[in-house]
Amino acid sequence: MIDLTTNYLGLTLKNPLVPSSSPLTANIDDAKRLEDAGASAIVLPSLFEENIHYEQKQLEKYIHSQALGNYETDSFHPVPDDYNGELDNYLEHLHAVKESLDIPVIASLNGVSDSGWLEYGKGLEQAGADALELNVYYISADPEQSSEVVEQRYLSLLCNLRQHVDIPIAMKLSSQFSSVSHMVKKLQQAGAEGVVLFNRFYQPDINLETLHIKPQIELSNPAEALLRIRWLALIRNRVDLSLAATGGFHTVESIIKALLAGADVVYLCSVLLSKGPEYYSQLLQQLTDWLTEREYESVQQMQGSLNQSCALDPVAYEHSNYIDVLKSYRP
Ligand SMILES: Cc1cc2nc3c(=O)[nH]c(=O)nc-3n(C[C@H](O)[C@H](O)[C@H](O)COP(=O)(O)O)c2cc1C
């Protein structure tokens, strides 16, 4: 019997496959189906700072318009006592998921400013989240803003939250840093228990008929996994925190590669959205079969065994063979 357990953010998970934030984890029935299929933990969809701010503005507008002296009392509609805002709904969902499932539940926060996060973070901890994921979905287009300022934003959000929340925190990062390793190291020093590599930025498109900018979301494709695998291999031995891989993991082969490169867990999203929650159990079975055929005793035995410092050809993970790769192309 192979030991599939892995350690992620200080939590012992029964296997390394984790369904990440998506509409599937927003729904209790689907979350239950994932647990039944063998999921070792789930990450809830994010609580979006933007939505909370928008909602607060709408509420203020509403209250202001009521207070403007509409003397016809029957047209005055106070905010009902049982009004549930974005945060309340999220906490209710988290609570309900915790009640229904036995596996760890990771809550997720998405935002870029310092305001409110302490309150949200504390609320999530009190509602039973086993860990927190912080997704700083930030695109800096301002030429006056240096990379240091952008990085400081991530660090300051983390430090703020770290001071007020005791549960483990993972930072979900994009790959667009000048030095990914340095950034991860700084996050580790600032108290992150893990990083999730890499967030996908959804790319807006231009509609050539209307000339409007069209926001769109597309599921990932398997080629995206290689970027993650390379960075896992490059940083595994250089940092001391949990590593999750996300983005393009659709097949057991890519999952195995991420684990060999150094992932503690591999997140699954697009593949479960397109094939359904039950597909999880097939991937888990395929992973178990692969380990059995190669006589591994545990997942931990193979985790990181092909990180850069252990690889037969370490420079292959970097750019030294760039020219050879270019030359190897045959039209
Ligand atoms: C429909 C959809 C909704 C998502 N919602 C969230 C979210 O709320 N928060 C978050 O951090 N990531 C969210 N993600 C990103 C996924 O969790 C995942 O990191 C990303 O899709 C890459 O993994 P994949 O290639 O397995 O899809 C979402 C992805 C999709 C497709």
Side-chain angles (χ1 to χ4, degrees):
M1 186 75 171
I2 294 172
D3 176 7
L4 293 175
T5 58
T6 187
N7 190 296
Y8 180 55
L9 307 175
L11 309 165
T12 301
L13 305 185
K14 63 186 174 185
N15 73 63
L17 306 187
V18 174
S20 67
S21 300
S22 85
L24 282 179
T25 60
N27 175 299
I28 297 202
D29 289 341
D30 287 332
K32 190 85 191 109
R33 283 166 72 193
L34 287 166
E35 183 180 57
D36 292 343
S40 57
I42 58 165
V43 189
L44 296 189
S46 302
L47 172 63
F48 288 90
E49 180 198 19
E50 223 171 301
N51 283 354
I52 297 181
H53 286 181
Y54 176 77
E55 178 189 72
Q56 278 164 354
K57 283 215 178 86
Q58 292 300 103
L59 209 57
E60 276 161 24
K61 248 194 195 155
Y62 174 78
I63 291 168
H64 181 70
S65 69
Q66 297 292 352
L68 272 181
N70 200 333
Y71 299 112
E72 295 156 37
T73 48
D74 57 351
S75 69
F76 180 84
H77 304 293
V79 179
D81 286 343
D82 60 355
Y83 172 78
N84 255 8
E86 196 76 19
L87 177 60
D88 300 315
N89 288 336
Y90 194 91
L91 293 177
E92 263 179 28
H93 177 61
L94 168 58
H95 189 70
V97 173
K98 281 295 294 176
E99 290 279 294
S100 315
L101 308 189
D102 293 324
I103 52 178
V105 177
I106 301 172
S108 166
L109 282 172
N110 186 311
V112 294
S113 77
D114 264 339
S115 62
W117 287 64
L118 309 183
E119 183 202 341
Y120 313 151
K122 266 187 165 309
L124 297 173
E125 182 172 35
Q126 281 159 5
D130 294 281
L132 256 185
E133 194 170 282
L134 204 55
N135 181 349
V136 187
Y137 197 103
Y138 185 66
I139 300 194
S140 170
D142 179 357
E144 301 305 321
Q145 193 172 49
S146 71
S147 51
E148 281 92 350
V149 171
V150 176
E151 289 177 10
Q152 195 47 48
R153 188 183 276 264
Y154 282 71
L155 291 164
S156 125
L157 285 172
L158 169 64
C159 290
N160 236 330
L161 206 55
R162 183 64 297 162
Q163 279 171 20
H164 293 84
V165 163
D166 290 327
I167 51 178
I169 301 176
M171 300 291 287
K172 191 169 188 178
L173 301 180
S174 92
S175 61
Q176 293 172 10
F177 287 92
S178 307
S179 171
V180 174
S181 300
H182 183 69
M183 186 65 202
V184 173
K185 185 92 190 174
K186 285 211 292 200
L187 291 168
Q188 178 197 321
Q189 287 163 349
E193 274 83 4
V195 285
V196 183
L197 307 177
F198 291 113
N199 197 15
R200 293 173 74 231
F201 284 144
Y202 298 100
Q203 312 299 347
D205 198 359
I206 297 174
N207 182 323
L208 290 179
E209 291 302 317
T210 62
L211 297 186
H212 283 133
I213 309 301
K214 195 173 66 169
Q216 57 174 9
I217 179 162
E218 277 182 12
L219 298 184
S220 65
N221 72 69
E224 295 176 39
L226 285 180
L227 174 76
R228 281 76 185 170
I229 292 165
R230 167 190 246 180
W231 276 105
L232 288 162
L234 287 175
I235 69 171
R236 174 65 291 170
N237 246 23
R238 295 182 159 110
V239 293
D240 187 17
L241 78 179
S242 291
L243 299 179
T246 184
F249 294 93
H250 292 231
T251 63
V252 75
E253 287 79 11
S254 61
I255 291 169
I256 292 165
K257 289 174 195 174
L259 295 170
L260 288 168
D264 295 298
V265 291
V266 179
Y267 278 5
L268 307 175
C269 171
S270 293
V271 68
L272 298 176
L273 286 173
S274 59
K275 298 198 171 165
E278 283 69 29
Y279 193 67
Y280 180 102
S281 55
Q282 286 192 41
L283 288 171
L284 185 60
Q285 188 56 51
Q286 289 167 9
L287 174 64
T288 313
D289 292 345
W290 190 89
L291 291 164
T292 311
E293 277 159 27
R294 280 149 188 89
E295 299 184 354
Y296 280 101
E297 286 169 11
S298 68
V299 161
Q300 289 178 34
Q301 196 184 352
M302 54 100 80
Q303 270 170 332
S305 59
L306 276 187
N307 77 54
Q308 193 188 22
S309 63
C310 312
L312 290 175
D313 182 11
V315 290
Y317 279 126
E318 290 184 45
H319 73 294
S320 327
N321 61 351
Y322 183 50
I323 298 173
D324 293 340
V325 172
L326 294 184
K327 281 187 179 160
S328 72
Y329 179 74
R330 296 281 168 271

